[in-house]
Amino acid sequence: VTTTMSKGQAKQFKSDRYSAKDDTDELELITDKLALDLRKSIRQLEIFPILSEAWFQMAETFVRIASISEMESKLPAAKKDATLWETEEQALRFILEDGKLNLCLRCLVDFKQQQIASRKSLNGPMMEYTTECDKFEKSIGSIMRNAWQHVEALQTTDLPALLLHIHDVLTATLEMPEYISSLIKKGDLYYRQEILIFYYLNGIFKHMEDVREHRVMPIVRERGIFMLLIRVLNQFCNPIEGSILKLHRLKAADTLSLLVETEDFNTHRSSYYNQSGLGGDIDAMVELKECCLKDLLTDMDSRKMIRPLVDCIDRAKRQMKSLALKK
């Protein structure tokens, strides 16, 4: 059966087709304009005095960039193991292409240093602008977390500066248990550096083959980052004071599992933790397994993911017992 359109139907069809084309063209124009605005905002990023008017404006810019980056990271093209240029993550590409990644890292480091000092002293101008500071920390932290899931970003990052930042955040976290506990109780620790540093390290360790161990592991070893991570994670899993979400505990445990699988860790194991049991290192590792990892081990997929960490803890426990029997 052959169906022939009337002249009116043909006219309407042609009109609909042109209308659809006009809509597409208009959408492309809007998209291009938004991309230009985004790139302009990124190019204007600089290191400004913290809490200056320019810094407040930059904080708002980071909020917008973070919102776009979060949305783009969830698009289908942002697939696992894809290069940054194979995804739709335009915001991150612009940051890399315009050479702003390490500038963002510098901004983050400077901010966190001042914030830690203010928290310890319980005074200073930052205490008066907590809302603005929260916006800055959570937005730039989100951007950097998304960036460091890509090997291209890690390869251009000042890794010694990043690792020193991670060390300083971990150390400060252990020095301020009451403050951290209050954040956990309020559910306000997420998107802060105290949680996000586990995600930063996860990105590094997952791409270690490309990043190369010699750029990372000597600093991790010398700064005692392995045991700092263990102790901080124990702090986050207090059965009385409250615990962080299972999602973040799993990511942290996965990060530690990737760490203990590195060649450097297995070559210089005694430099990462005290194998004799002195200093409470092994006790802290056992506590991690019995408290923080306990419910994770009930799930088969999670258990498989963190098996290297569990094996490392069990081995350390056996070694301590063996040394005790020889004495």
Side-chain angles (χ1 to χ4, degrees), residues 125-154:
M126 273 195 175
M127 305 300 287
E128 301 175 21
Y129 296 97
T130 55
T131 300
E132 291 81 1
C133 288
D134 284 356
K135 277 185 182 180
F136 179 86
E137 179 178 9
K138 293 177 181 181
S139 59
I140 193 172
S142 171
I143 294 166
M144 304 312 274
R145 179 201 58 197
N146 292 339
W148 287 322
Q149 302 310 306
H150 296 280
V151 67
E152 300 88 353
L154 288 167

Side-chain angles (χ1 to χ4, degrees), residues 35-73:
L36 287 172
D37 290 343
L38 175 63
R39 186 143 218 171
K40 182 180 178 181
S41 296
I42 289 171
R43 285 177 173 169
Q44 290 174 341
L45 296 175
E46 295 293 342
I47 296 177
F48 299 112
I50 296 174
L51 302 184
S52 66
E53 186 60 37
W55 185 88
F56 284 126
Q57 292 176 4
M58 184 173 69
E60 292 297 332
T61 298
F62 277 130
V63 170
R64 293 195 297 273
I65 296 171
S67 177
I68 294 169
S69 177
E70 281 294 288
M71 179 186 66
E72 291 178 338
S73 70

Side-chain angles (χ1 to χ4, degrees), residues 81-274:
D81 298 329
T83 68
L84 190 54
W85 279 264
E86 292 174 334
T87 71
E88 299 295 329
E89 296 182 82
Q90 197 171 54
L92 297 182
R93 286 206 308 274
F94 289 167
I95 288 173
L96 258 68
E97 289 170 356
D98 291 329
K100 297 294 185 178
L101 184 66
N102 283 318
L103 181 141
C104 291
L105 172 58
R106 186 71 257 167
C107 288
L108 177 60
V109 169
D110 291 347
F111 167 81
K112 198 62 183 177
Q113 287 175 346
Q114 288 199 33
Q115 186 193 61
I116 288 170
S118 292
R119 285 177 176 174
K120 287 181 177 179
S121 64
L122 298 178
N123 60 35
M126 273 195 175
M127 305 300 287
E128 301 175 21
Y129 296 97
T130 55
T131 300
E132 291 81 1
C133 288
D134 284 356
K135 277 185 182 180
F136 179 86
E137 179 178 9
K138 293 177 181 181
S139 59
I140 193 172
S142 171
I143 294 166
M144 304 312 274
R145 179 201 58 197
N146 292 339
W148 287 322
Q149 302 310 306
H150 296 280
V151 67
E152 300 88 353
L154 288 167
Q155 288 172 332
T156 60
T157 295
D158 183 349
L159 289 176
L162 173 56
L163 291 168
L164 181 58
H165 167 69
I166 289 170
H167 167 270
D168 291 347
V169 171
L170 289 167
T171 302
T173 301
L174 292 172
E175 292 172 348
M176 298 183 287
E178 292 181 0
Y179 180 77
I180 297 300
S181 177
S182 70
L183 291 176
I184 293 174
K185 286 179 179 178
K186 292 187 292 186
D188 193 29
L189 194 63
Y190 313 115
Y191 285 99
R192 294 184 185 276
Q193 290 305 288
E194 289 79 8
I195 290 287
L196 290 181
I197 55 173
F198 286 95
Y199 285 80
Y200 300 163
L201 284 170
N202 195 273
I204 292 173
F205 292 138
K206 277 189 174 176
H207 293 290
M208 191 64 84
E209 186 176 336
D210 296 297
V211 175
R212 300 302 175 87
E213 283 196 23
H214 72 271
R215 296 182 61 203
V216 175
M217 295 312 293
I219 302 174
V220 171
R221 177 168 18 102
E222 290 161 12
R223 291 285 176 174
I225 288 176
F226 173 68
M227 284 311 306
L228 284 173
L229 291 168
I230 294 280
R231 289 190 163 90
V232 165
L233 193 49
N234 277 336
Q235 185 178 337
F236 289 166
C237 301
N238 189 311
I240 299 173
E241 298 294 332
S243 179
I244 60 172
L245 294 175
K246 188 174 182 179
L247 167 72
H248 300 299
R249 283 189 285 121
L250 181 59
K251 179 63 71 171
D254 180 42
T255 298
L256 284 163
S257 289
L258 292 168
L259 191 161
V260 301
E261 286 190 298
T262 61
E263 183 179 343
D264 192 86
F265 182 89
N266 287 285
T267 302
H268 305 285
R269 189 179 293 265
S270 62
S271 297
Y272 284 90
Y273 64 90
N274 191 314

Side-chain angles (χ1 to χ4, degrees), residues 23-37:
D23 289 344
T24 301
D25 291 343
E26 185 176 351
L27 181 61
E28 288 178 354
L29 285 171
I30 293 172
T31 302
D32 290 344
K33 185 178 185 304
L34 289 172
L36 287 172
D37 290 343

